[in-house]
Every structure is written in C-alpha cells, then in structure tokens.
C-alpha cells in the first residue's frame, strides 16, 4: 500500500474485497435458487474491474500521488474507462435481481428507477460530466496538485470512477438496470466524447498543463487520447452486440418470472408436501 494508504486505503481494500466476495457468493448460488449457472465471463469481468480499481487506489498506479503526470493519466484511463466497462459488463444489477429477497430488491428497483439516477445516467448528461471533469482537471492546476497530494489524488480518481460508471451504464443501458436511450444518441455521445478528449490531449501537448514539467506532458497526452479511443471502441463493440444481449436478457427475465411463480406456488405447510386428491388441484 502506498503512502496515502492509511484508513482510506484500508477502507478501500475492505470495500473491494466485500464487493468481490458478495458477487462470487451470489453467482455460485444461482443453481441452488433454481436459476441457470451464472456466466463465468461476467464473474471474471467483475473481479477484473475491482482489481483495476484497486490498482489505482491502493496499488501500483496509486503511486501517481508521488510520481509524474503520465502515471496520473494512466490511472485516469484505468479507473475511469477500463474499470467501468468491466464492472458494468459484470451485470451486478441482474445478479442482484436473481439473488436478493423481495424487500431489498424493491429498494434496488427504486434506486435504479430514481429520476436523479436516470438523469445522471442519461448519455448526454453522463458524457458532459465525464468529459468536463477531465477537461477541468488538465486545463487547471488540479492535475498538478493531485500529483503531489495523495488524498486529493484519491478523491480525483474516485470521481473519475463514478462519472465513468454513469457514462458506461448510460451507453450500455439495460444490462446495468438503466433504461436505454436510442442507439443513435448513444453512438453520437461516444463519438463526441472521444473527439473532445482527443482535442484535449492535443491542447495538452501543445500548451502544456499548468504546474507540470513540459517533458511529462507529451506522453500524458498520448495516454489520454489512446485511452479515450480504446474506451470508445470497447463500448462501440458492446452496443454493436446488444441484440444478442437483449435476447439473453429476455431469457433471464423469463427465468426470474418462472422462479418467482414457482416460489409463490410452493406449498407452505409445516414441512409436508401437498398432494392432489380426487383430481382437485393443489391450492
């Protein structure tokens, strides 16, 4: 753990470990609950996303607080672009719907359907937040400050994670529990966001970053531009395959309804199995 570990680093490790453990337990118990086996690819994606977050907040890339801007930008790309894609593709909301009891499931539904959540995850709003945060950081003095202040660095990276999750969920749509916007709008937001980030990278390379040594800027600008393009390509691939994901989501929804119907129709007697008599249906 790096120099700004302390309580924040310990809390981060505990939170990430719990998130991984709860997910694995939920995924492993699907057959016992009458659901199909949870796809291994989703579990791998979720765990990889958590590891990406850990690498930035308490791992090697966390040392950006004591190093150069390039490491800082790489941390931004990993936690604000790579990790959100991996976490959202882990389909945690779908897993929760297949695992939680009715009361906490209703609360989750209210949270996902909250107008504020829907507004923040609307692709245009999420895109403005994600791109705006990056633009403000690298055109002002905050970038320089966060490469020297470990606590500020952690706050900045957590902010990138949150806005990255919003944008990714807004673009991916239903697999994250967010109502999907029209495809043309999501693609347009991706293209515009990538263009703005690449323009930002060019401005960084040409005009520099306040408070940062000039020799650190070119590689940082390249890292930002390449990360933005790869993020757009990854999300574009997800959008391109959404029909297949829709079909799978429909099957999962049917599984959920069938399991709920089976539970509601199950006998409630004191440990005795009800049997039909005289041809009468079981209540």
């Amino acid at each position: 753990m790096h120099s700004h570990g302390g309580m924040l680093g310990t809390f981060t490790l505990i939170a990430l470990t719990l998130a991984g453990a709860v997910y694995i337990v939920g995924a492993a118990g699907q057959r016992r609950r009458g659901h199909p086996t949870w796809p291994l690819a989703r579990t791998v994606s979720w765990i990889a996303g958590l590891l990406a977050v850990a690498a930035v907040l308490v791992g090697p890339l966390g040392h950006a607080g004591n190093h150069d801007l390039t490491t800082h930008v790489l941390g931004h790309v990993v936690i604000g672009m790579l990790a959100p894609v991996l976490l959202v593709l882990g389909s945690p909301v779908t897993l929760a719907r297949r695992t939680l009891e009715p009361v906490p499931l209703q609360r989750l539904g209210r949270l996902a359907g909250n107008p504020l959540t829907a507004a923040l995850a609307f692709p245009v709003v999420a895109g403005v937040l994600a791109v705006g945060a990056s633009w403000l950081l690298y055109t002002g003095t905050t970038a320089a400050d966060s490469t020297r202040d470990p606590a500020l660095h952690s706050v900045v990276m957590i902010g990138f994670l949150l806005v990255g999750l919003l944008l990714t969920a807004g673009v991916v749509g239903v697999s994250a529990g967010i109502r999907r916007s029209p495809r043309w709008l999501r693609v347009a937001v991706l293209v515009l966001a990538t263009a703005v980030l690449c323009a930002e990278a060019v401005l960084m390379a040409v005009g520099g970053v306040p408070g940062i040594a000039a020799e650190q800027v070119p590689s940082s600008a390249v890292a930002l531009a390449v990360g933005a393009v790869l993020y757009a390509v990854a999300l574009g691939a997800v959008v391109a395959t959404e029909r297949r994901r829709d079909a799978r989501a429909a099957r999962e929804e049917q599984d959920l309804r069938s399991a709920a119907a089976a539970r509601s129709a199950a006998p409630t007697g004191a440990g005795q199995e009800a049997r039909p008599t005289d041809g009468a249906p079981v209540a």
Side-chain angles (χ1 to χ4, degrees):
M1 190 178 300
H2 54 284
S3 60
H4 66 284
M7 292 187 63
L8 178 60
T10 301
F11 174 79
T12 300
L13 284 176
I14 292 174
L16 294 176
T17 301
L18 284 175
V22 170
Y23 187 100
I24 290 174
V25 169
Q30 292 304 297
R31 290 297 294 270
R32 187 172 63 253
R33 293 176 174 270
H35 300 304
T37 302
W38 186 252
L40 178 61
R42 292 183 181 178
T43 302
V44 172
S45 182
W46 178 259
I47 298 302
L50 294 179
L51 290 176
V53 174
V56 175
L57 294 181
V58 293
L61 288 177
H63 287 284
N66 301 317
H67 288 72
D68 60 14
L69 183 66
T70 302
T71 310
H72 185 285
V73 174
L74 287 174
H76 170 192
V77 170
V78 170
I79 201 170
M81 301 178 191
L82 174 62
V85 173
L86 293 171
L87 293 173
V88 169
L89 291 182
S91 300
V93 173
T94 300
L95 179 60
R97 292 184 62 208
R98 291 171 57 165
T99 305
L100 294 176
E101 296 299 325
V103 173
L105 184 58
Q106 290 174 0
R107 293 174 180 171
L108 177 64
R110 286 196 294 268
L111 177 62
N114 186 285
L116 178 60
T117 303
L120 290 175
F122 182 61
V124 175
V125 176
V128 169
L129 290 174
V131 173
S134 177
W135 191 281
L136 290 175
L137 178 71
Y138 297 120
T139 58
T141 60
T142 307
D145 294 337
S146 63
T147 60
R148 303 183 182 104
D149 185 339
L152 178 60
H153 172 262
S154 294
V155 170
V156 167
M157 291 301 160
I158 291 173
F160 279 136
L161 173 63
L162 294 177
V163 295
L165 285 171
L166 286 174
L167 179 57
T168 305
V171 172
V172 171
V174 290
S175 65
I178 304 297
R179 185 172 181 176
R180 180 185 293 165
S181 299
R183 178 184 291 192
W184 68 265
L185 178 62
R186 291 177 283 137
V187 172
V189 168
L190 270 180
V191 172
L192 288 174
T194 304
V196 172
L197 288 175
C198 289
E200 178 187 346
V202 172
L203 290 177
M204 288 171 59
V206 173
V209 177
I212 298 293
E215 62 270 14
Q216 296 182 20
V217 177
S219 57
S220 305
V222 170
L224 179 61
V226 171
V229 171
L230 292 178
Y231 175 71
V233 169
L235 282 189
V238 174
V239 172
T241 60
E242 65 185 21
R243 289 185 179 178
R244 184 176 61 187
R245 291 188 298 111
D246 287 347
R248 183 173 59 197
R251 291 194 300 269
E252 291 175 344
E253 183 66 25
Q254 183 59 44
D255 291 338
L256 284 172
R257 292 177 179 177
S258 299
R263 285 196 298 268
S264 63
T268 56
Q272 295 185 350
E273 184 176 347
R275 293 181 174 85
T277 58
D278 300 327
V282 178

